[in-house]
Amino acid sequence: KEQETTTKAVKETGGKKLWYQNQVVKTYYYSTSGGHSTSIEAWGTKLTDHNTYLKGVPICDEQGNDYERQLPWYRWEAKVPQELLGNLIELNAGKEIGNLVNIEVTKQGVGGIALELKVTGSLKTITIATENKIRKALGGRGYEITKQDGVVVKSSNLLPSAFFTIEKNGESYIIKGRGYGHGIGMSQNGANEMAKSGKTYEEILDYFYPGTQVQ
């Protein structure tokens, strides 16, 4: 519902924009970080002079403590049966690989995000690139995800984030992840925690989008 605090925030920031190199910037944001944002390269976009404000930063205080370390999605884990994961990858990637043999993260980006995934099947080996396609390939219904507070949720169309490690354990794969969302730009929960600690909105925007100015 409408609140006095949000109405006040809108009125006090009316007419202000975030600029970078004389252009209004695209302020991408997501839910929760696992301690570090990533660069726009995670979407397959090259860093240029015009988008380096989306280069990825550690999201921690002056003592090096992650702002979101107490939040549920800061860390999460899933145990996915091998046959189910193989079927999901075939369905989501649109390629027949046969029986799943192995999965390996072969390239990482800023903050440890997965940029390339090598999937080996009995019929074919495929490479899946960019954070969104990787999250889609490993997403889908049929397994459960446990957040760090112990709450268990059902899997959905996308893996919570592409900040993860994956290891084979018997007839299953263990996925250990960090954060929720694409990880580019501003973490909403991170910004909230920073505000609670006394940071102003200008300081928060400058932190997540380095080199930008509010004008």
Side-chain angles (χ1 to χ4, degrees), residues 33-180:
S33 88
H36 208 293
S37 61
T38 193
S39 83
I40 199 169
E41 292 171 300
W43 285 338
T45 303
K46 289 185 178 180
L47 277 175
T48 68
D49 290 342
H50 301 296
N51 63 18
T52 49
Y53 66 92
L54 295 170
K55 62 184 179 180
V57 294
I59 305 170
C60 57
D61 60 22
E62 288 76 8
Q63 287 73 46
N65 298 312
D66 291 350
Y67 280 107
E68 295 154 278
R69 63 190 182 278
Q70 302 297 331
L71 301 181
W73 280 114
Y74 176 72
R75 294 288 185 270
W76 51 268
E77 186 173 321
K79 183 177 182 180
V80 192
Q82 180 171 304
E83 184 178 358
L84 172 62
L85 191 56
N87 291 340
L88 288 173
I89 291 170
E90 281 194 330
L91 178 66
N92 296 328
K95 296 178 181 178
E96 188 176 347
I97 63 169
N99 295 324
L100 180 59
V101 176
N102 190 45
I103 300 178
E104 181 185 1
V105 176
T106 52
K107 185 178 180 181
Q108 290 182 314
V110 175
I113 196 169
L115 296 182
E116 282 186 4
L117 198 67
K118 181 181 178 183
V119 180
T120 304
S122 58
L123 297 179
K124 185 186 294 184
T125 296
I126 62 173
T127 298
I128 301 167
T130 72
E131 69 86 29
N132 187 266
K133 289 181 180 178
I134 289 171
R135 290 171 66 198
K136 182 180 178 183
L138 300 181
R141 300 180 183 276
Y143 61 93
E144 295 180 331
I145 299 167
T146 304
K147 296 184 279 187
Q148 73 169 4
D149 62 353
V151 173
V152 178
V153 297
K154 292 183 178 180
S155 57
S156 58
N157 292 339
L158 295 177
L159 198 67
S161 84
F163 293 91
F164 67 87
T165 60
I166 184 167
E167 290 185 358
K168 192 172 183 180
N169 186 335
E171 294 300 309
S172 298
Y173 282 87
I174 307 297
I175 305 174
K176 294 183 179 181
R178 296 176 283 129
Y180 193 100

Side-chain angles (χ1 to χ4, degrees), residues 3-18:
Q3 299 178 63
E4 287 185 15
T5 51
T6 48
T7 300
K8 184 171 182 283
V10 170
K11 288 181 178 179
E12 288 184 358
T13 57
K16 296 182 180 181
K17 300 182 180 74
L18 196 65

